[in-house]
């Protein structure tokens, strides 16, 4: 998205989900997949990136190396992990897993072959979500360690269509395959987040859980729609049709932070992205996120990120 992302949303059409994906620089990248037959096991590592795996055919077991019961994943299911730790996909328990980086991959299709023989009992496609170093935490912290979207979920028809198209792109390898695959993976991830919004009980405190709360959503839309406005607790509570106290308690329970702290964090996320991608003066960015002076903004930004805005820009956000 362009550097004009800090926009005037006085029309009231703010979409916090799209906002957070844009500010986190979330970009889905299709990385390939595998076919498997017989006995097999593969270890997948997120490497601190969100990892997405979709089961196109068959089924297998998912085992988290940190512990927990094995999870049965079936045709049409989608799994998203937070990348913090590896997990194993396998035909049966007790098989020594092959690290995914050592699997032999067909360079044309980007599909690896696992197990014995030529049978294709299981076909999976996978990708990862790249996030910005700083603002990406807004998205990462809002998600559980592992999301399992079953084929019978309400979003299953759309997810199934996307998985099918992704698999077709891999097999056909037509012109534009990389561009098409990456965008299909992006849509796949958005659909998974929509499932999370509809099944928010399992979400940790964070912006996604707050957005899933219909009572809090109007206040979130106000903050996202006009981050420069000097929002007060009373205004936000009125938008949510609650008393100040009820609103503050409910918001903190859902988002993990008080409303005005959330607003501050959102402003700093917007500013960080603008500093990475925009050439506007720091003073102009400060005004866009609600600060009347560059010095006040610089102090707030340094408290939030540990580095002054100009130094952050010079380092390219790293």
């Amino acid at each position: 998205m362009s550097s004009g992302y800090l926009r005037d949303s006085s029309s009231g059409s703010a979409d916090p989900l799209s906002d957070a994906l844009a500010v986190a620089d979330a970009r889905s990248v299709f990385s390939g997949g595998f076919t498997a037959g017989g006995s097999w096991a593969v270890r997948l590592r997120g490497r601190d990136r969100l990892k997405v795996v979709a089961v196109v055919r068959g089924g297998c077991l998912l085992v988290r190396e940190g512990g927990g019961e094995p999870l049965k994943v079936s045709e049409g299911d989608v799994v998203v992990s937070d990348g913090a730790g590896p997990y194993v996909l396998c035909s049966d328990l007790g098989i020594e897993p092959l690290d995914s980086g050592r699997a032999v991959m067909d360079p044309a299709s980007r599909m690896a072959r696992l197990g014995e023989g030529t049978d294709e009992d299981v076909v999976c496609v996978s990708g990862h979500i790249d996030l910005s170093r700083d603002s990406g935490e807004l998205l990462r912290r809002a998600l559980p360690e592992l999301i399992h979207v079953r084929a019978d979920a309400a979003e299953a028809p759309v997810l199934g269509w996307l998985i099918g198209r992704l698999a077709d792109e891999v097999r056909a390898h037509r012109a534009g395959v990389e561009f098409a695959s990456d965008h299909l993976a992006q849509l796949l991830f958005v659909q998974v987040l929509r499932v999370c919004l509809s099944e928010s009980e399992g979400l940790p405190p964070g912006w996604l859980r707050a957005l899933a709360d219909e009572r809090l959503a109007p206040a979130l839309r106000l903050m996202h729609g006009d981050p420069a406005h000097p929002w007060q607790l009373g205004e936000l509570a009125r938008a949510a049709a609650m008393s100040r106290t009820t609103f503050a308690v409910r918001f903190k329970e859902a988002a993990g932070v008080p409303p005005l702290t959330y607003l501050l964090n959102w402003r700093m996320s917007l500013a960080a992205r603008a500093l990475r991608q925009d050439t506007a003066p720091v003073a102009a960015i400060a005004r866009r996120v609600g600060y009347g002076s560059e010095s006040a903004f610089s102090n707030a930004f340094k408290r939030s990120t540990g580095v002054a805005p100009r130094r952050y820009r010079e380092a390219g956000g790293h």
Side-chain angles (χ1 to χ4, degrees), residues 134 136-144 204-207 265:
D134 49 5
E137 287 303 303
L138 177 76
L139 182 59
R140 191 188 305 278
R141 287 195 303 264
L143 296 172
W207 66 266
N265 294 342

Side-chain angles (χ1 to χ4, degrees), residues 60-64 67-73 88 90 92-93 146:
C60 56
L61 296 175
L62 184 152
V63 182
R64 281 179 274 189
E69 290 294 316
L71 181 69
K72 172 71 173 176
V73 289
V88 171
C90 58
D92 300 285
L93 298 177
L146 190 76

Side-chain angles (χ1 to χ4, degrees), residues 71-127:
L71 181 69
K72 172 71 173 176
V73 289
S74 304
E75 186 170 318
D77 288 7
V78 179
V79 173
V80 181
S81 64
D82 65 2
Y87 62 89
V88 171
L89 294 178
C90 58
S91 59
D92 300 285
L93 298 177
I95 302 171
E96 183 65 25
L98 175 70
D99 194 274
S100 59
R102 295 178 57 197
V104 178
M105 182 175 290
D106 179 349
S109 67
R110 288 186 287 177
M111 296 289 284
R113 171 67 196 175
L114 304 173
E116 309 94 359
T118 59
D119 291 344
E120 293 187 355
D121 301 328
V122 181
V123 178
C124 291
V125 293
S126 65

Side-chain angles (χ1 to χ4, degrees), residues 193-205:
L193 291 181
R194 287 172 172 168
V195 171
C196 289
L197 287 173
S198 65
E199 302 174 0
S200 58
E201 298 82 3
L203 292 173

Side-chain angles (χ1 to χ4, degrees), residues 4-198:
Y5 181 74
L6 282 171
R7 74 247 192 276
D8 174 11
S9 295
S10 55
S11 64
S13 59
D15 176 3
L17 181 56
S18 295
D19 288 351
L21 288 168
V23 169
D25 289 334
R27 178 174 177 266
S28 296
V29 180
F30 172 70
S31 55
F34 65 85
T35 63
S39 297
W40 59 273
V42 61
R43 179 182 291 106
L44 302 178
R45 301 180 186 274
R47 305 187 192 282
D48 293 324
R49 299 180 299 191
L50 299 177
K51 181 76 174 176
V52 182
V53 175
V55 183
V56 178
R57 183 190 310 158
C60 56
L61 296 175
L62 184 152
V63 182
R64 281 179 274 189
E65 296 203 337
E69 290 294 316
L71 181 69
K72 172 71 173 176
V73 289
S74 304
E75 186 170 318
D77 288 7
V78 179
V79 173
V80 181
S81 64
D82 65 2
Y87 62 89
V88 171
L89 294 178
C90 58
S91 59
D92 300 285
L93 298 177
I95 302 171
E96 183 65 25
L98 175 70
D99 194 274
S100 59
R102 295 178 57 197
V104 178
M105 182 175 290
D106 179 349
S109 67
R110 288 186 287 177
M111 296 289 284
R113 171 67 196 175
L114 304 173
E116 309 94 359
T118 59
D119 291 344
E120 293 187 355
D121 301 328
V122 181
V123 178
C124 291
V125 293
S126 65
H128 61 261
I129 314 298
D130 281 331
L131 303 172
S132 69
R133 179 185 60 83
D134 49 5
S135 298
E137 287 303 303
L138 177 76
L139 182 59
R140 191 188 305 278
R141 287 195 303 264
L143 296 172
E145 178 184 340
L146 190 76
I147 302 167
H148 179 203
V149 183
R150 301 180 189 277
D152 58 1
E155 297 284 350
V158 177
L159 286 169
W161 185 88
L162 289 168
I163 292 167
R165 299 293 74 71
L166 195 51
D168 287 346
E169 288 292 334
V170 173
R171 294 190 193 100
H173 202 69
R174 293 172 292 182
V177 59
E178 292 195 10
F179 184 86
S181 296
D182 287 355
H183 280 70
L184 285 166
Q186 183 100 343
L187 290 171
L188 187 67
F189 180 57
V190 171
Q191 289 302 126
V192 170
L193 291 181
R194 287 172 172 168
V195 171
C196 289
L197 287 173
S198 65

Side-chain angles (χ1 to χ4, degrees), residues 2-7 23 135 226-229 263-264 266-301 305 308-314:
S2 70
S3 59
Y5 181 74
L6 282 171
R7 74 247 192 276
V23 169
S135 298
D226 190 0
H229 181 80
L263 176 61
L264 171 65
W266 177 239
R267 286 170 170 169
M268 294 303 104
S269 294
L270 289 172
R273 186 172 199 262
L275 288 165
R276 290 195 304 272
Q277 300 188 359
D278 203 333
T279 58
V282 173
I285 294 174
R287 288 192 296 272
R288 293 181 196 173
V289 294
Y291 287 84
S293 73
E294 182 178 336
S295 61
F297 165 70
S298 296
N299 289 335
F301 189 87
T305 65
R310 293 182 187 280
R311 181 161 294 182
Y312 180 91
R313 170 174 273 171
E314 290 168 359

